[in-house]
Amino acid sequence: MNNQQFLDVIYTHTEGEPTCIVHGGIPYPFGGDILDKRHYLQQHHDHVRTSLMREPRGHQHMFGVFLTPPSDADHDAGMLWIDGEQFVDMCGHGTIALSMAMVAHRLAPPPREDGLTRIRFETTAGTVVSEVKADADKVHWTRFENVPAFVMQQDIPVEVPGLGTLKADLVFGGNFFAIIRVPSDKQPICPENGSYFSHAGQAVKAELNARMEIRHPTHPHINGLNFVTFWHEGSQSDSLYRNVHVFSDGKLDRSPGGTGTSAMMAMFHARNELEVGRPIHSEGLLGSGRFTGEILGETEVGGYRAIRPSVQGTAELIGYAKWLIDARDPVGRGFVIR
């Protein structure tokens, strides 16, 4: 009998954006915080990330999470986010999906008297708290309070292919985002324009990373720009905007984006265009569904004016897998075709 590694995985999508939830098959060492767990995975199980995110099991735009044991009594679980290129500090569409999946599979704490299940997650960006609405037959939605979001710099000139010089705001919403408004009559945000936004996002990211040193003021391990967000007016009259988030090697978020919605609210708030307590609707690349965002309050992060963002959305369960990782199969550990 061969000695093999088996992984238990739940698959979901959040308004079209996939989440591969790795919830079994990783022997996490005892002790250490969430950064220690990430370092352990990078050193000993990074082949799991590449095996599940890349072909032949995954695809160019696959996204996933390692569901880890908590590091202390103040948290219920840990989340370590991944794609085919790297670990990512935070993910909102995935938090919505993971929270609903944990309740559906009895992996979460019991519900409170108000019927909501509260889950405190440990992430490399800070503590994230989700609330899940469910009844006996169905899990309905997740609403989570993200880590504080703030604007680091406004109106940075940047060259956008085909559109010339536009302005970007550098915003933290769990990840760093360069947020750029584009004219909807020239480049509407829709699936048909996905290739354009993928190319443009990579160009903008490369330019800004070359020009600027980007680092979180209180979490120095969070550095560099990985997300570029293009936005314009929404397709529905009561939507604040429609956007697409481009990340890593040109991957496109299909959903409205949870950390993206947090960053967008921080951007609007910094420009006095969105007040505390006003709910907003955000649209994503597909336009198939929306997230609801709200600023719960104001705070401060490392000298920057910040907000406490809340994002609500829903996800769908789409399947399960028990993957075999065979050390004798190097192709099975993941490959990328450019």
Side-chain angles (χ1 to χ4, degrees):
M1 180 183 295
N2 294 322
N3 185 12
Q4 308 285 13
Q5 182 177 19
F6 291 91
L7 301 164
D8 291 310
V9 173
I10 300 170
Y11 285 97
T12 63
H13 84 81
T14 312
E15 305 304 344
E17 181 67 7
T19 305
C20 169
I21 301 169
V22 186
H23 64 95
I26 303 292
Y28 293 96
F30 179 78
D33 63 13
I34 195 69
L35 283 172
D36 293 325
K37 290 182 175 66
R38 184 170 75 177
H39 180 71
Y40 169 76
L41 290 172
Q42 290 171 324
Q43 293 296 310
H44 300 285
H45 294 278
D46 201 49
H47 66 279
V48 173
R49 178 185 63 81
T50 58
S51 296
L52 299 186
M53 296 296 100
R54 299 176 179 178
E55 293 187 65
R57 297 175 185 86
H59 55 75
Q60 167 69 6
H61 298 271
M62 181 59 76
F63 203 84
V65 61
F66 289 101
L67 176 62
T68 79
S71 299
D72 53 47
D74 193 43
H75 296 94
D76 299 302
M79 304 187 290
L80 287 170
W81 299 102
I82 53 173
D83 63 26
E85 307 307 311
Q86 61 195 317
F87 281 77
V88 179
D89 287 293
M90 194 20 213
C91 173
H93 91 266
T95 298
I96 291 168
L98 175 59
S99 300
M100 293 179 69
M102 288 178 67
V103 171
H105 295 84
R106 307 297 190 268
L107 299 174
R112 302 178 302 187
E113 292 183 0
D114 61 5
L116 297 177
T117 298
R118 189 169 185 263
I119 310 173
R120 290 181 59 86
F121 287 110
E122 183 182 20
T123 83
T124 57
T127 297
V128 173
V129 182
S130 68
E131 293 181 324
V132 184
K133 173 66 175 177
D135 54 36
D137 300 319
K138 186 175 178 61
V139 184
H140 296 281
W141 48 257
T142 297
R143 177 178 58 232
F144 70 93
E145 180 175 348
N146 196 11
V147 297
F150 59 91
V151 176
M152 181 168 279
Q153 190 170 337
Q154 294 176 320
D155 295 328
I156 307 166
V158 65
E159 289 299 312
V160 179
L163 296 175
T165 302
L166 299 178
K167 293 182 178 180
D169 284 6
L170 180 63
V171 187
F172 183 78
N175 304 292
F176 277 112
F177 292 79
I179 301 177
I180 302 169
R181 182 165 191 166
V182 295
S184 58
D185 59 335
K186 293 183 178 179
Q187 288 295 348
I189 295 169
C190 58
E192 292 77 11
N193 282 339
S195 294
Y196 166 79
F197 285 114
S198 176
H199 170 71
Q202 292 180 83
V204 169
K205 182 172 73 169
E207 178 182 342
L208 291 179
N209 276 325
R211 286 168 46 190
M212 305 174 66
E213 182 178 353
I214 301 168
R215 188 175 300 275
H216 194 283
T218 60
H219 295 305
H221 62 274
I222 303 177
N223 59 83
L225 174 66
N226 189 37
F227 287 74
V228 175
T229 297
F230 299 103
W231 71 279
H232 56 56
E233 66 277 5
S235 303
Q236 301 183 46
S237 61
D238 60 341
S239 294
L240 185 58
Y241 61 86
R242 183 165 181 165
N243 67 191
V244 58
H245 311 290
V246 186
F247 61 99
S248 293
D249 59 346
K251 303 179 193 304
L252 299 174
D253 190 341
R254 276 72 169 143
S255 79
T259 57
T261 297
S262 301
M264 291 291 290
M265 289 193 296
M267 181 197 71
F268 284 116
H269 184 67
R271 294 183 177 275
N272 297 316
E273 297 175 8
L274 179 63
E275 61 271 21
V276 173
R278 173 192 160 195
I280 63 103
H281 297 301
S282 57
E283 299 178 14
L285 176 63
L286 288 189
S288 60
R290 302 186 294 177
F291 288 171
T292 300
E294 184 178 341
I295 300 174
L296 301 178
E298 297 178 333
T299 186
E300 179 267 341
V301 176
Y304 292 95
R305 177 189 178 196
I307 64 165
R308 292 172 45 225
S310 170
V311 181
Q312 180 176 325
T314 189
E316 298 293 338
L317 177 68
I318 57 176
Y320 305 92
K322 181 179 281 292
W323 290 114
L324 165 65
I325 307 297
D326 189 341
R328 301 167 300 174
D329 177 15
V331 173
R333 292 197 170 204
F335 62 87
V336 176
I337 297 176
R338 302 296 182 188

